[in-house]
Amino acid sequence: MSVKEALVTAISGRDVDSEVLESAFSDIMAGDATPAQMAALLVALRMKGESVDEIVAAARALRAAAVPLPSAQPETVDTCGTCLLYTSPSPRDRTRS
């Protein structure tokens, strides 16, 4: 699993390859990582210091997993991503098109 690979690399203090980290975050968003794995990876990245490439890789995976929501007002912008925290289906319940 790419989460484990990314975790081992980050714990060792090395930058995680962007493809590996993007895959790890994709696994996380798909619900294929345990809460402990998610927490460990985020803490390991923070402790070693995130590189620009790692931040970009994570952002790519998060954007790929984002679900667009229709809005009656197209100028509406969600600036923090928490508005659906308690109403959204879990990542496992989402269908991808």
Side-chain angles (χ1 to χ4, degrees), residues 32-51:
D32 295 334
T34 67
Q37 288 172 323
M38 290 185 273
L41 179 58
L42 293 174
V43 169
L45 288 169
R46 183 64 207 119
M47 288 183 68
K48 74 161 204 64
E50 307 89 341
S51 72

Side-chain angles (χ1 to χ4, degrees), residues 31-90:
D32 295 334
T34 67
Q37 288 172 323
M38 290 185 273
L41 179 58
L42 293 174
V43 169
L45 288 169
R46 183 64 207 119
M47 288 183 68
K48 74 161 204 64
E50 307 89 341
S51 72
V52 170
D53 288 342
E54 290 168 337
I55 293 169
V56 169
R60 280 193 186 118
L62 297 177
R63 287 187 58 135
V67 177
L69 299 173
S71 173
Q73 299 177 350
E75 66 276 359
T76 302
V77 177
D78 176 13
T79 60
C80 63
T82 59
C83 67
L84 298 175
L85 184 63
Y86 299 105
T87 59
S88 294
S90 74

Side-chain angles (χ1 to χ4, degrees), residues 1 27-35 89-96:
M1 174 187 270
D27 290 348
I28 288 169
M29 295 306 296
D32 295 334
T34 67
S90 74
R92 289 181 189 268
D93 296 335
R94 291 187 198 150
T95 56
R96 293 185 183 209

